[in-house]
């Protein structure tokens, strides 16, 4: 299935191909602040529809994950593995997807416990 997503202002728009069967409420120091619900997909399944210049990047700790955000409205639509990593994954914030009933998506914490 093809999902469409965007930040609040629309400067960051994207499509994701895959089956959304669950998400993770990550408890790392940044995700717990943002409240993002993350869906892990191969990076190739994520297609950006806008120029990448509008998207900011935040990294911390060992800098293996690039936390992306819209420079205009500050929304955090996704993160992705750093380009230095061979097989890259993207971590889609399903709160930014269109037409997804969040209550119907099973959410687990980082340790696999249902929430
Ligand atoms: Zn925006």
């Amino acid at each position: 299935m093809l999902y469409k997503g965007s930040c609040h202002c629309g400067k960051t728009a994207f499509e994701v191909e895959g089956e959304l069967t669950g998400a993770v409420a990550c408890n790392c120091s940044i995700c717990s602040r943002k409240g993002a619900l993350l869906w892990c997909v191969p990076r190739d399944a994520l297609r950006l529809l806008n120029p990448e210049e509008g998207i900011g990047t935040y990294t911390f700790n060992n800098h293996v994950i690039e936390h992306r955000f819209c420079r205009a409205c500050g929304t955090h639509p996704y993160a992705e593995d750093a380009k230095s990593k061979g097989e890259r994954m993207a971590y889609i914030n399903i709160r930014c997807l269109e037409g997804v009933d969040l209550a119907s998506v099973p959410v687990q914490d980082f340790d696999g416990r249902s929430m």
Side-chain angles (χ1 to χ4, degrees):
M1 179 162 172
L2 188 68
Y3 293 89
K4 284 182 180 296
S6 65
C7 66
H8 186 261
C9 74
K11 285 194 171 148
T12 305
F14 58 93
E15 292 176 342
V16 189
E17 179 71 50
E19 295 308 316
L20 177 54
T21 54
V24 170
C26 180
N27 61 354
C28 84
S29 56
I30 186 165
C31 290
S32 59
R33 284 168 168 77
K34 290 175 181 168
L37 299 174
L38 299 177
W39 171 33
C40 183
V41 298
R43 177 59 184 82
D44 291 346
L46 169 65
R47 193 161 73 88
L48 301 178
L49 302 177
N50 297 74
E52 227 175 312
E53 300 90 76
I55 310 175
T57 302
Y58 177 69
T59 65
F60 66 101
N61 197 11
N62 47 14
H63 306 281
V64 290
I65 296 180
E66 298 184 340
H67 302 265
R68 309 286 246 147
F69 58 91
C70 172
R71 290 187 192 278
C73 70
T75 307
H76 164 58
Y78 66 97
E80 61 189 325
D81 289 328
K83 292 187 175 67
S84 55
K85 203 172 167 206
E87 224 168 272
R88 297 167 69 209
M89 304 298 285
Y91 309 91
I92 310 299
N93 181 4
I94 65 168
R95 292 186 185 279
C96 294
L97 296 178
E98 289 172 17
V100 170
D101 174 18
L102 292 175
S104 72
V105 179
V107 175
Q108 297 187 328
D109 70 11
F110 199 67
D111 300 313
R113 287 181 294 241
S114 292
M115 294 182 70

